[in-house]
Amino acid sequence: MKRIFAAGKRACEFLDTHNDDVQQLKDAQCDPEEHVTFLSPLVRSMITIIDNDMVHGTDKTEEYVTEDGLLNWTEFSVAKMTDDCVERDEVSLFISASNYLRRVLHQHLHPFALSTFKNNSVENIVKKYGALMTILPEVVISSNSQKQFEHFICPQNALFLEVLHLYRSSKYQLCFSTCITFLERTISDLMHKSQQQNTRPMKINNLLQLDELVSLLGPDVIFMLRLVCGPLQGMNFRNLLWHGFFSDDEFEPVYASLLLLLVVSIADIPGILQSLITRPPLQDISRFDKPIDTPDFGNYIEDIVDNCYIIPSCQRALWKESLRHHVDHEYYYCAVTLFPLIEHALRRMFVHVNDRENHVLSAETQAVYITFDHIFSNQIGPQLMYNYLFDEIDVPTMLCLHDVIVWGPKLRDRLSHGLVDPTTIPRSLVDRLVVSALMLLCGKYRFKSTNDFKISYDYTPVYHPQTFFFEEMKCTASFIKNFFIDCVFDLLKYDDTSDMSPRTVLLNPDLRGQVLLIIDQMDEHILIKTKSRGSAYNFHVVPFVEVGVLDYTFLPYQVPKMYGLGIRGGNIPAIDVCRRVTIDVRESIVAVDEMMNKMRVFKDKKRGQAHIEKFQRNMYSLYLLLILMMRGVEVAMIRVCLPGNMELCEILLDASISLKTCIIKNDWIKPKIINKLIVALRAVL
C-alpha cells in the first residue's frame, strides 16, 4: 500500500509529464504482495467455497429443508454443526460449523433457494410463505416510494419482496446487505417486546447474547445467527459487508440464499410473529431534506473510479456499481453500498498518513476493525497521537464527510442497524453522500484528468455544530432585544436617588460598574455590536443589542480539532457549550416572563405590588448579566480553536446555569460567580 500511495502522489503532482509515474503506480497496484483481498486467511477460509465443499455425499436436500420450504433445525443444531465437540473454544466451534454450513449450502440449500426464490413466480412465493414474509419491518407506501421501490405491494411484506427482487436480479451482495439490517432490527423488536421497555441494544452481537432471546429463539437458532452475523470470531458477514472488506466478486451467492431461508424459518418459530404485532415503526427521516447541487457524473463514472489511486483496484467494480445506483435513481441502494466503500478507502488513507502500517487492514477474528469512529477521531491510540488524516484531506471535503457521517442524521448508523424506513430517506441525503465521495475521488488523488468533469469545493456545512450555534445565537439576541424594550427601557426613569438600594438589585453598584466596564472593553472584539441609549443613570449609558449583524466571515467553518495533548476539550465541544449558554440565556428571559405573569395575579394586593416593583428594579442588572454572557460567548467562539478556551466556556456555562436557577427560585446570583466570569474574560482580552 505504501508503494501505491507514494507512486500515486508523484503521478498527481506531475499530470502533464507523468507517464513513468503512472506506470509505476499501475505496477504497484498489480503487485502480488498488495491486497487482492481484505479478508484475513482465517476469515477467508471460513467463508470461501472450496473443492471439498463440492464433493457430494449420500445426504439429500430433504434432510435439510422441510416440506414447507424451511430450514430443518435438527440438521443445524449446535451439536450437529460442530461434530458434538461443543466443549471446544468458540473459534474452533465456528470454524467447524462454517465447514459444515458451506458444504450444505453449496450442495443443498443454494440449489433449493434458486429453485424456490428465483426460478419460481413471485405469486407462488407469496402463496407458499404468506405471513412469514411479514417478519421484516413494515414500511410506508407512498407515491414517492413507488419511484424507487417499484416492487412494493403492501407495507407488511414490502421489504421481503424488495430483497427478493434483488435476489432474483442476481444482486446477491446487495440483497444480503439490505436484508441483514432489517433482520437485526427484527431481533431488536423482539427484545423490545419481551423486555417491555423502550431501550434496546443496538448491535446485533449484543442482542444475540441476551438470555431472553435465547429462550425465545432457542440455542440452535442463536448459534446459527452468531455464526453468520455475530462476533468477530464467526463468519461475521454483517460487519464484513458494512465495513467494506469485500472485494469485487468475492461475496458468495450461497449466503444470500441462506439468509432468505433463515428469515422465513425464524418467522415460523411459534410466537415470533405474534410478538411483532406491536413493534415500533421504522424511523421517518424525511425531515432531513436539505437539497444540494449534485453534478451530472453519469458519463464519467469509469474515468473517475479508474483514475483515483485511493480506490483499491480490487474494489473498482463495486465503486462503479454503487455510483450507478445513484444515476439510476436507486438512492437507497447507493447509500447501502457507498458507505462501506468510503469507509474502506478512508481506512487505507488513515493507516498510511498516520504511519501505522502495523495496523491490520484486513478483517481479522482477533482484532477490532478500524472504523469510522477511529478514522474521524482527532486523537488516536493510547498516547492520543494527532490524526494526520485531518491534514491530508482538504477542509471542504472533510466538512462534507463530517456532515454525512459524523453530524446530522447519521444516515450510515441508521441504515446499518435497520432503523430507518428506506422509503422516507430524502434524495438530498444520498446526494450529499455522493458529493462527499466525488470531492474525495476527484481531488488530489486523481492521477489522470482526461475529461471535462469538475466538482465544486466551495462547500458550506448544514449540520456543523457552528450552524446550529448561529441559529440559537440569533434567536437569543432577538429575545434580549425584546426583553430590553419590554422590561428594561421603561424602567430607566428611575435615577440614583430612588429606592433601588444595593439590597434590592441583582448587582450592587460596584459589581454593576465592573460589568459595564468589561462590556465596553469587549465591544472591540465581538461580533454582535451594541448601540447606546441615554439613561437616567448618570454613570453610564445602557448597551442595547442590535440584532441582525452577525458576521459569519469572522468564524469560518473548521473541522474538529482538539486543543492538544493533556488539554481538555476541542473546538466542537466548545461550540456545543457556547450553544448551551445561549439557550440558558434565552430560557432565563422566559423564566422572567413567567415570574412576572405569576406576580401580576397579585397586583391588586399591596404585598404583591411591592414584590413586582422590587423584581422589576432588578431588570437592568439582569439585562447587563445577559449581555455579559453573550459577550463572553462571542469571545469564546472567536477563540474556539485556542488552548485554554474550554475553561472560559465552562465558566460561562456555570454562570448561565446559576442565573437561570436563581431566577426560577427568585433568589440572588452569587457575586463570586460573576467575578469569576469577569476575571476569565479580562484574562483573554
Side-chain angles (χ1 to χ4, degrees):
M1 186 180 69
K2 187 176 290 187
R3 283 186 59 202
I4 291 177
F5 276 83
K9 185 176 181 180
R10 289 195 301 271
C12 291
E13 287 178 349
F14 305 101
L15 283 177
D16 296 328
T17 58
H18 70 325
N19 292 335
D20 292 340
D21 295 318
V22 171
Q23 187 57 49
Q24 291 180 23
L25 174 59
K26 292 181 178 179
D27 292 343
Q29 291 174 326
C30 296
D31 191 334
E33 294 183 1
E34 290 294 337
H35 288 293
V36 294
T37 179
F38 297 102
L39 306 177
S40 69
L42 177 56
V43 172
R44 188 172 173 79
S45 68
M46 292 176 68
I47 69 175
T48 304
I49 302 296
I50 58 177
D51 292 340
N52 288 341
D53 301 327
M54 303 180 186
V55 178
H56 288 270
T58 58
D59 52 346
K60 298 180 180 180
T61 300
E62 291 76 12
E63 298 177 25
Y64 303 99
V65 183
T66 68
E67 293 180 358
D68 296 325
L70 306 172
L71 295 178
N72 179 9
W73 289 110
T74 303
E75 296 299 319
F76 295 100
S77 66
V78 180
K80 185 83 172 181
M81 296 180 71
T82 59
D83 296 327
D84 293 318
C85 298
V86 294
E87 71 280 358
R88 293 182 296 177
D89 64 275
E90 192 169 56
V91 174
S92 299
L93 289 177
F94 283 144
I95 292 174
S96 177
S98 66
N99 293 334
Y100 177 91
L101 184 60
R102 286 197 317 272
R103 184 187 67 81
V104 174
L105 270 174
H106 179 74
Q107 297 183 16
H108 302 290
L109 297 186
H110 185 52
F112 173 82
L114 289 175
S115 174
T116 302
F117 295 120
K118 192 169 185 177
N119 301 329
N120 205 354
S121 68
V122 174
E123 290 76 13
N124 287 338
I125 297 173
V126 173
K127 183 178 179 180
K128 182 180 183 66
Y129 290 102
L132 300 182
M133 301 168 67
T134 66
I135 185 175
L136 298 184
E138 181 177 330
V139 299
V140 175
I141 300 297
S142 65
S143 58
N144 182 53
S145 63
Q146 290 293 341
K147 297 177 183 178
Q148 187 177 171
F149 303 98
E150 59 185 60
H151 306 280
F152 282 3
I153 297 177
C154 67
Q156 289 75 25
N157 64 6
L159 284 179
F160 189 91
L161 290 177
E162 190 61 27
V163 297
L164 181 64
H165 165 68
L166 294 173
Y167 184 87
R168 293 167 67 87
S169 303
S170 300
K171 298 177 180 179
Y172 301 111
Q173 183 169 332
L174 181 56
C175 170
F176 194 104
S177 296
T178 302
C179 190
I180 193 62
T181 64
F182 293 113
L183 179 58
E184 177 180 352
R185 171 57 190 258
T186 297
I187 294 173
S188 296
D189 289 341
L190 288 172
M191 287 298 91
H192 176 79
K193 177 66 177 178
S194 64
Q195 297 179 94
Q196 292 295 310
Q197 60 184 29
N198 294 325
T199 58
R200 57 178 182 264
M202 289 293 296
K203 295 184 178 179
I204 193 169
N205 188 38
N206 295 332
L207 289 166
L208 296 176
Q209 299 180 57
L210 296 177
D211 293 337
E212 297 94 330
L213 191 64
V214 176
S215 300
L216 192 62
L217 297 179
D220 296 333
V221 177
I222 291 294
F223 182 78
M224 173 70 85
L225 287 171
R226 296 190 73 236
L227 171 66
V228 174
C229 51
L232 295 174
Q233 293 75 18
M235 301 171 91
N236 198 20
F237 283 106
R238 187 265 179 206
N239 286 326
L240 294 180
L241 284 166
W242 273 94
H243 290 293
F245 286 107
F246 275 106
S247 299
D248 300 337
D249 301 321
E250 195 170 24
F251 180 82
E252 300 279 3
V254 299
Y255 297 113
S257 299
L258 171 64
L259 189 57
L260 287 181
L261 290 171
L262 191 58
V263 167
V264 292
S265 299
I266 291 175
D268 190 59
I269 297 175
I272 294 299
L273 293 181
Q274 290 82 356
S275 298
L276 296 171
I277 291 176
T278 57
R279 71 198 309 173
L282 293 173
Q283 296 173 2
D284 183 341
I285 62 171
S286 56
R287 66 187 184 279
F288 293 105
D289 188 8
K290 296 182 182 293
I292 181 175
D293 291 334
T294 308
D296 184 5
F297 61 91
N299 295 329
Y300 306 109
I301 291 177
E302 296 282 335
D303 181 81
I304 291 171
V305 174
D306 291 341
N307 293 325
C308 180
Y309 70 85
I310 64 171
I311 295 179
S313 57
C314 58
Q315 287 189 332
R316 287 176 180 169
L318 289 172
W319 272 92
K320 294 172 184 177
E321 180 183 1
S322 180
L323 293 175
R324 286 194 192 98
H325 282 309
H326 187 275
V327 175
D328 295 337
H329 309 293
E330 298 172 339
Y331 304 114
Y332 172 66
Y333 298 144
C334 176
V336 168
T337 54
L338 193 52
F339 272 118
L341 294 172
I342 291 177
E343 180 175 0
H344 191 60
L346 292 176
R347 179 184 295 118
R348 287 161 52 86
M349 294 175 63
F350 171 86
V351 168
H352 175 70
V353 300
N354 288 298
D355 196 22
R356 304 175 78 85
E357 301 291 344
N358 58 326
H359 271 55
V360 179
L361 276 171
S362 57
E364 302 285 343
T365 58
Q366 302 297 329
V368 177
Y369 302 161
I370 297 174
T371 64
F372 278 134
D373 290 339
H374 304 92
I375 292 168
F376 290 113
S377 176
N378 296 108
Q379 297 172 328
I380 55 179
Q383 293 79 29
L384 299 178
M385 303 298 291
Y386 179 69
N387 184 358
Y388 287 97
L389 189 66
F390 283 78
D391 293 341
E392 171 68 18
I393 299 177
D394 60 274
V395 171
T397 302
M398 187 61 91
L399 289 173
C400 190
L401 288 168
H402 272 74
D403 251 5
V404 171
I405 298 167
V406 182
W407 303 320
K410 297 187 177 180
L411 180 59
R412 189 267 175 196
D413 293 343
R414 295 175 190 255
L415 287 176
S416 63
H417 295 294
L419 301 178
V420 63
D421 185 333
T423 68
T424 69
I425 300 175
R427 170 183 172 174
S428 60
L429 271 182
V430 185
D431 287 347
R432 202 171 300 277
L433 171 64
V434 170
V435 168
S436 70
L438 294 175
M439 290 174 71
L440 186 67
L441 302 185
C442 298
K444 61 182 181 181
Y445 309 110
R446 191 179 187 183
F447 62 86
K448 187 178 181 182
S449 180
T450 58
N451 58 54
D452 298 326
F453 178 75
K454 303 292 182 183
I455 184 169
S456 172
Y457 282 82
D458 184 18
Y459 181 78
T460 301
V462 295
Y463 297 113
H464 195 295
Q466 191 167 303
T467 299
F468 299 109
F469 163 78
F470 276 126
E471 293 174 358
E472 298 289 355
M473 189 73 159
K474 287 191 289 186
C475 181
T476 299
S478 179
F479 266 67
I480 294 177
K481 177 181 179 180
N482 293 333
F483 176 71
F484 178 85
I485 295 172
D486 297 338
C487 300
V488 179
F489 189 67
D490 289 340
L491 297 174
L492 296 181
K493 58 187 178 182
Y494 290 98
D495 57 24
D496 286 342
T497 62
S498 69
D499 59 352
M500 294 179 66
S501 64
R503 293 188 304 276
T504 62
V505 291
L506 287 170
L507 299 175
N508 61 52
D510 178 62
L511 188 55
R512 186 168 57 196
Q514 293 185 52
V515 171
L516 284 165
L517 183 61
I518 195 70
I519 289 175
D520 261 358
Q521 292 175 344
M522 294 166 61
D523 197 49
E524 299 300 323
H525 302 271
I526 49 82
L527 305 181
I528 294 183
K529 301 297 182 182
T530 58
K531 292 184 177 181
S532 297
R533 287 194 176 183
S535 169
Y537 290 106
N538 55 22
F539 57 84
H540 207 277
V541 292
V542 179
F544 170 63
V545 173
E546 180 68 16
V547 183
V549 291
L550 273 171
D551 192 342
Y552 286 73
T553 60
F554 280 92
L555 292 175
Y557 286 99
Q558 298 183 11
V559 297
K561 294 181 180 178
M562 304 303 288
Y563 291 138
L565 187 61
I567 303 178
R568 293 182 298 108
N571 61 336
I572 299 303
I575 292 172
D576 289 335
V577 172
C578 289
R579 180 169 173 254
R580 168 72 186 281
V581 172
T582 63
I583 295 174
D584 283 343
V585 168
R586 189 166 68 246
E587 290 178 350
S588 295
I589 297 174
V590 173
V592 169
D593 289 338
E594 292 176 353
M595 186 72 70
M596 290 294 294
N597 290 333
K598 290 179 181 178
M599 291 179 182
R600 289 190 181 100
V601 176
F602 306 100
K603 64 181 180 179
D604 296 331
K605 299 181 180 180
K606 184 175 181 180
R607 182 181 176 185
Q609 184 63 31
H611 201 54
I612 291 177
E613 291 179 1
K614 176 182 175 181
F615 192 82
Q616 285 178 327
R617 291 168 185 172
N618 288 303
M619 293 301 181
Y620 176 59
S621 296
L622 173 61
Y623 177 75
L624 292 182
L625 289 179
L626 299 178
I627 293 293
L628 179 67
M629 290 179 192
M630 296 303 285
R631 294 290 199 226
V633 165
E634 292 170 328
V635 171
M637 286 297 295
I638 293 173
R639 294 169 44 84
V640 74
C641 288
L642 298 181
N645 190 52
M646 199 64 183
E647 182 179 355
L648 172 60
C649 293
E650 290 175 347
I651 292 173
L652 279 164
L653 183 60
D654 184 38
S656 67
I657 293 174
S658 298
L659 178 61
K660 184 172 69 172
T661 303
C662 288
I663 292 172
I664 293 174
K665 294 182 177 180
N666 195 19
D667 200 357
W668 314 113
I669 189 169
K670 297 179 181 179
K672 67 177 183 180
I673 295 177
I674 305 303
N675 279 321
K676 187 176 181 180
L677 177 56
I678 291 174
V679 170
L681 290 171
R682 281 177 176 165
V684 299
L685 290 180

